[in-house]
Amino acid sequence: MRHKLAGTLILLGLLLQILGFVDLLPLSHLVGYAFWLATALLWRDTPRRTRWQAGALTVIGVGLLALARLRFDAAIAWPAILDGNTYVVAMLVGVSFIGLIGNRSGSKRPLGRPVTGRRGTAGTWLGVHMLGTILNLSTVFMIGDRLARRGPLTTPQLLALNRGLSSAALWSPFFASMGVVMTLAPALEYSRVLAIGLPLALLSGALTTFELSRRFDLAEVAGFSLSPRSLLMPLAMAALVMLFHYRLTPQLGIVSIITFLLPAVALASNLPAGPRWTLYRVRQHTLVRLPAMRGEIALFLSAGLLTLGLSTAIAAATGSEWTLFDHFGAREAIFSFLAIVASAIIGLHPIIGVSVLASMLDLGADRQTLFAFTALASWAVGTSVGPLSGINLSLQGRYGVSGYRMMKHNLVYALVMSGLAVAAILLLDRMG
């Protein structure tokens, strides 16, 4: 009963967010209330590490708000304190509905024929990367489970899964990282981020294939062969998002478009099978899949509360005049990137570092693209190497590999990718 109510509340939060896009939301804070109440209902089922992190962030955020009010007499809009990152959470919930597309009979359609060797490893990285741009973490399980049919996953397979997904954070407009960044830096130029982030992601794939082929014997390591048909859905969805963004609903940001478009496409794909079938699939998704998102929802909501508390306390203590940097240029961006990656290695999710950094900056429109890429690059590298990142915790829970073992195997990769990211930051800053 508790899971059913929580899943319903998460769905309600998504629907309320969509109503807000057309100014039909009865009360502006209902979205946050729905998500937070669902999180509370699912708290005991949330993984312990996530509970500790989310709980600490929430306590610190509320404490900072109380400090700002009691010590500095700051004006706090208490009914609105639960609104942080609700846009991102709603987007994540919306993206989850993509799993309802196809598979009407309940059978799992093969994604491709496994191959071995360097080609297979490259195929695993590319498959997770391309499909993961839309399907996010679920792609790791789709491809990983297929590879696991031939035996327990090996270290090269796990590393290819890890890096294929995490590197998509560099450019994919469907990723949570991009949702957070677009919320924190609404004036960013996505075309410039894409022009830098996509080549850097491809370099990640080349580096992964080269490094793993030197460190491991890949002759018998099964990989994933990506067929052109498998790419049709991700490319079609990306094209639809761009169509709405530039033509049909230019007043909405990409995060908002994804939030309503992906569930709409998922529903439309099921309607030919009949309303009863469609309702059944939505009900199953609401009662099973949405409660399973409790960990990421809790983390994003609590990080939003921390950001609000930190920014409010800093503004109250400094009279809104203090910022971490007087100017956010290449040097400051590189320092920020390295600090966030370092915090990920010691166990903090990159969203925490990105949110804290944003709360201490006063960015003009011309600096927001540089900040956005810095945040995305630190997210991509940090989640690959961080032992407590979502991808590594998921691999640990699904396939039994330690997050700290993944960190150890990814240290050299993270070092090389950090060097490439620093070079990209310098290039982006020089481009102006």
Side-chain angles (χ1 to χ4, degrees):
M1 182 63 186
R2 182 167 49 86
H3 286 76
K4 293 180 180 180
L5 179 57
T8 303
L9 284 169
I10 295 172
L11 178 62
L12 177 62
L14 171 64
L15 296 175
L16 290 171
Q17 184 68 67
I18 294 173
L19 288 176
F21 297 152
V22 290
D23 297 324
L24 292 178
L25 185 61
L27 294 174
S28 59
H29 310 307
L30 287 180
V31 178
Y33 296 162
F35 286 144
W36 275 96
L37 183 54
T39 300
L41 289 171
L42 296 169
W43 186 254
R44 71 172 72 169
D45 305 304
T46 305
R48 179 177 297 179
R49 289 190 182 98
T50 303
R51 286 205 308 267
W52 276 104
Q53 286 199 53
L57 295 179
T58 300
V59 170
I60 294 172
V62 173
L64 288 170
L65 288 172
L67 175 66
R69 179 72 182 103
L70 298 175
R71 177 68 176 83
F72 302 104
D73 199 29
I76 309 294
W78 293 107
I81 66 170
L82 301 183
D83 291 350
N85 282 343
T86 51
Y87 270 80
V88 182
V89 173
M91 186 197 75
L92 288 172
V93 176
V95 167
S96 73
F97 277 83
I98 207 72
L100 298 184
I101 294 180
N103 194 20
R104 292 181 184 172
S105 65
S107 61
K108 295 190 175 181
R109 189 172 52 196
L111 295 177
R113 180 176 299 172
V115 292
T116 59
R118 180 181 293 190
R119 179 186 170 194
T121 299
T124 299
W125 182 94
L126 185 61
V128 174
H129 189 83
M130 293 302 297
L131 296 177
T133 58
I134 299 286
L135 303 178
N136 288 263
L137 191 58
S138 61
T139 306
V140 172
F141 301 141
M142 291 165 56
I143 294 180
D145 287 356
R146 177 171 176 78
L147 295 177
R149 294 176 193 171
R150 300 181 60 172
L153 293 186
T154 63
T155 298
Q157 291 172 318
L158 292 164
L159 291 173
L161 292 171
N162 167 291
R163 299 174 187 181
L165 185 72
S166 59
S167 57
L170 288 163
W171 67 275
S172 172
F174 302 94
F175 248 59
S177 58
M178 191 68 74
V180 171
V181 166
M182 286 181 172
T183 302
L184 298 174
L188 73 89
E189 296 179 39
Y190 176 70
S191 59
R192 294 177 62 197
V193 172
L194 179 64
I196 298 290
L198 182 54
L200 188 59
L202 295 177
L203 285 174
S204 163
L207 171 63
T208 296
T209 305
F210 174 76
E211 183 209 2
L212 296 185
S213 66
R214 289 181 61 87
R215 290 175 55 195
F216 304 95
D217 181 6
L218 302 180
E220 299 300 322
V221 175
F224 175 73
S225 180
L226 188 65
S227 66
R229 184 177 182 181
S230 300
L231 287 174
L232 180 61
M233 190 272 287
L235 292 177
M237 289 305 309
L240 270 178
V241 170
M242 294 300 106
L243 174 64
F244 273 83
H245 182 58
Y246 289 107
R247 293 292 181 183
L248 302 180
T249 56
Q251 73 277 12
L252 294 179
I254 290 180
V255 173
S256 301
I257 292 171
I258 292 171
T259 301
F260 76 81
L261 182 60
L262 269 66
V265 171
L267 291 177
S269 72
N270 281 271
L271 281 175
R276 180 174 297 180
W277 169 256
T278 304
L279 183 62
Y280 167 76
R281 298 208 71 189
V282 171
R283 184 177 183 274
Q284 288 298 107
H285 189 80
T286 301
L287 301 183
V288 178
R289 176 68 182 96
L290 296 188
M293 298 178 66
R294 53 191 175 267
E296 53 193 312
I297 291 176
L299 190 60
F300 281 107
L301 290 176
S302 58
L305 183 53
L306 171 69
T307 302
L308 175 64
L310 190 59
S311 59
T312 302
I314 291 173
T318 62
S320 302
E321 296 177 359
W322 184 86
T323 57
L324 181 61
F325 304 117
D326 294 331
H327 170 73
F328 191 77
R331 182 175 61 181
E332 293 77 14
I334 292 170
F335 173 81
S336 301
F337 166 81
L338 294 175
I340 296 172
V341 172
S343 70
I345 291 176
I346 64 175
L348 295 179
H349 194 284
I351 187 180
I352 300 171
V354 170
S355 300
V356 170
L357 175 64
S359 69
M360 296 188 292
L361 296 177
D362 183 16
L363 295 171
D366 62 326
R367 297 285 89 188
Q368 293 193 21
T369 300
L370 179 62
F371 165 81
F373 177 76
T374 301
L376 294 172
S378 61
W379 192 300
V381 177
T383 53
S384 70
V385 73
L388 301 182
S389 67
I391 174 64
N392 282 329
L393 287 177
S394 297
L395 291 174
Q396 177 174 324
R398 191 82 163 196
Y399 306 114
V401 60
S402 165
Y404 290 94
R405 180 184 168 198
M406 294 297 292
M407 178 186 73
K408 178 182 176 182
H409 282 293
N410 272 324
L411 285 175
V412 173
Y413 166 82
L415 182 62
V416 176
M417 286 300 297
S418 293
L420 294 173
V422 166
I425 288 172
L426 291 170
L427 176 61
L428 186 60
D429 182 61
R430 182 169 296 182
M431 292 168 57

